[in-house]
Amino acid sequence: MTLLTAVFTPFRPDGGLDLDVVGDQADALAAWGTRGVYVGGTAGEGASMTTAERMALLERWCEVAAGRFDVIAHIGHTSLAEARDLAAHARDAGVQAISAVPPYFHRPPDAAAVADFFARVTQAAPDVPFIYYHIPGVTGVTVPASEVLTAARDRIPTFAGIKFAHDDLADLQRCLELADDRYELYVGSARLLLATMGIGARAAIGSAYNFAAPVFLRMIEHVERGELREARACQFLAQSAIDTAVAFGGELAGFKAAANLVGPDCGPCRPPLRSPGPAQVAELRDRLDALGLLAVAPSR
């Protein structure tokens, strides 16, 4: 199992981009061996950023990641023209792949519409692999990923796989069978990592790896050694940390706060999300430390 990290976007207290932090983020991720970063997606709050901000952020990540790990750029947008501009920019910036959610206001009604939309988007980056981002709980696009895979492989020359952020393991299993080693399936839910390994998943992209990568890496090692009891214990420990973080502002705000405790401080989330305040962060630190998962963060 290969882990890639969906990185948080660093913001200053006033909400502006803080690109100086990106280098420190990259150093921290390289230290534990991430194989790649997913920039400007759900964790990166791409939908809350301007196109110019997304481009500037991506350029910085490509600079700091060069020679250390891959960069996947999320270029999803409700506007076809904006998505094409983001795709062309990502190609010029030197990414290893582009990825996108489907339009989530005027939604595509079926798999053919999804594939046709991205066939037009990817024409702007005709030599860059494309990864479809399936996250129906956020986009409201409930077309099964397996149907999109079938449609995309015939319509999108650069189609390379799917980031699967859903709890429908039956659909994931169908995707794995259809992929047949030609396409990669990236598990998008750290909560289900062990379960998905059991049905053949071999890669994952997630934001929990910003703060809990060590326990997931130990879990993977236990699986490789056939130590399933120990692997289950690791997954349970990670799940406890995830549940704890979620209680402090929801998944994104809580995860970002947890990551700020153990790595570079990426600041708050942008509105309408609410980041935990100082007292809540102190409580979060105590709870995570009580789990024995995370080191106590230094005072800020």
Side-chain angles (χ1 to χ4, degrees):
M1 174 64 72
T2 299
L3 300 184
L4 294 82
T5 309
V7 291
F8 300 114
T9 296
F11 295 121
R12 298 189 299 268
D14 65 3
L17 277 179
D18 192 355
L19 297 181
D20 291 341
V21 176
V22 173
D24 293 334
Q25 286 180 273
D27 290 344
L29 295 174
W32 67 258
T34 192
R35 295 290 296 276
V37 291
Y38 192 92
V39 178
T42 306
E45 300 176 72
S48 298
M49 298 167 63
T50 67
T51 295
E53 287 176 325
R54 292 172 70 175
M55 289 179 174
L57 177 68
L58 181 64
E59 289 170 10
R60 181 59 180 149
W61 270 107
C62 287
E63 289 174 0
V64 301
R68 297 198 286 179
F69 44 75
D70 292 342
V71 176
I72 301 173
H74 177 256
I75 52 91
H77 205 287
T78 54
S79 163
L80 173 60
E82 292 290 328
R84 285 174 58 88
D85 286 347
L86 286 162
H89 172 265
R91 176 183 183 273
D92 293 342
V95 300
Q96 282 65 54
I98 56 175
S99 178
V101 295
Y104 45 84
F105 191 86
H106 299 298
R107 303 184 185 106
D110 52 34
V114 173
D116 288 342
F117 180 84
F118 285 121
R120 299 177 69 180
V121 171
T122 56
Q123 288 171 353
D127 54 352
V128 181
F130 171 71
I131 300 165
Y132 175 63
Y133 186 2
H134 179 65
I135 182 166
V138 173
T139 63
V141 178
T142 58
V143 180
S146 54
E147 294 182 11
V148 174
L149 191 157
T150 300
R153 64 188 180 187
D154 295 329
R155 289 172 168 84
I156 305 173
T158 55
F159 180 67
I162 295 175
K163 180 183 176 185
F164 191 98
H166 192 32
D167 59 3
D168 187 345
L169 295 187
D171 191 37
L172 176 61
Q173 180 69 71
R174 288 191 293 270
C175 287
L176 290 166
E177 293 300 319
L178 288 166
D180 192 28
D181 292 329
R182 291 176 293 170
Y183 311 108
E184 189 62 89
L185 270 295
Y186 299 90
V187 176
S189 174
R191 300 171 184 271
L192 298 176
L193 191 62
L194 183 58
T196 58
M197 290 177 70
I199 60 174
R202 61 189 183 187
I205 299 173
S207 56
Y209 312 131
N210 286 283
F211 66 92
V215 71
F216 283 107
L217 292 172
R218 288 200 302 272
M219 185 188 78
I220 293 168
E221 291 175 354
H222 286 309
V223 171
E224 291 173 346
R225 293 196 293 261
E227 299 166 349
L228 298 185
R229 182 188 298 251
E230 292 82 356
R232 289 194 296 269
C234 285
Q235 179 70 67
F236 184 77
L237 176 59
Q239 183 61 53
S240 298
I242 287 171
D243 290 342
T244 297
V246 167
F248 291 83
E251 184 165 302
L252 178 49
F255 280 19
K256 194 172 189 180
N260 288 348
L261 290 173
V262 298
D265 192 337
C266 291
C269 294
R270 277 188 170 172
L273 299 179
R274 292 182 177 176
S275 299
Q280 290 179 302
V281 170
E283 183 180 353
L284 173 62
R285 180 191 292 114
D286 290 344
R287 290 192 185 186
L288 292 177
D289 187 47
L291 290 173
L293 179 70
L294 306 175
V296 176
S299 301
R300 298 193 186 280

